[in-house]
Amino acid sequence: MSTKPSVLFVCVHNAGRSQMAAGFLTALGGDGVEVRSAGSMPADQVNPVAVQAMAELGIDIAAEQPKVLTTEAVQASDVVVTMGCGDACPYFPGKRYEDWKLEDPAGQGLESVRPIRDEIRARVLTLLDELGVTPVRA
């Protein structure tokens, strides 16, 4: 990729996993990567426990709003990371797809969401490495 890579994170409600992943990629990737997130059936708001879990690490996703998944967002992305959205995600040949099997933080308390958050962070760091983007912070 000669220009900066773009990544789209997709989950059903775009309220937990995909928002945390987008928050990490934005914070860790800085200007080196373009970040999108969306959901096949977006919720009304980002999961407050996900917001709280990210705030513990100094990443503010409180102002984010769940967005509907569009064909255009998939087409504009180099990497599409799905998180439990099943067949709702459009497929385009030539795109790089990854399916991250992660527990859904919906309806869970902070103690249960922290390990999900930490696994997402580790996967985002691996993705940055694979994309050749040096994290701007540890």
Side-chain angles (χ1 to χ4, degrees):
M1 291 171 252
S2 57
T3 59
K4 73 175 164 181
S6 60
V7 178
L8 170 64
F9 294 104
V10 183
C11 66
V12 175
H13 300 297
N14 189 220
R17 295 168 288 189
S18 57
Q19 291 286 355
M20 288 191 287
F24 276 126
L25 191 58
T26 299
L28 299 172
D31 292 336
V33 64
E34 187 177 342
V35 183
R36 297 180 181 86
S37 71
S40 52
M41 297 185 320
D44 294 333
Q45 66 179 23
V46 175
N47 180 335
V49 180
V51 171
Q52 185 180 0
M54 294 297 286
E56 288 183 340
L57 301 181
I59 299 173
D60 184 4
I61 62 169
E64 298 300 323
Q65 286 295 312
K67 294 170 275 312
V68 69
L69 176 64
T70 64
T71 300
E72 295 76 24
V74 175
Q75 289 176 316
S77 301
D78 298 310
V79 181
V80 179
V81 178
T82 58
M83 304 174 190
C85 66
D87 295 332
C89 301
Y91 177 81
F92 292 95
K95 295 282 173 202
R96 175 179 164 188
Y97 287 85
E98 289 189 20
D99 186 41
W100 291 359
K101 305 263 189 257
L102 297 161
E103 196 172 339
D104 190 346
Q108 298 198 47
L110 187 57
E111 291 296 321
S112 298
V113 172
R114 284 181 182 129
I116 301 167
R117 172 202 65 197
D118 295 344
E119 183 174 348
I120 291 170
R121 181 182 183 280
R123 289 176 185 235
V124 165
L125 285 169
T126 298
L127 180 61
L128 280 169
D129 184 56
E130 292 169 355
L131 294 173
V133 177
T134 302
V136 295
R137 68 186 227 193

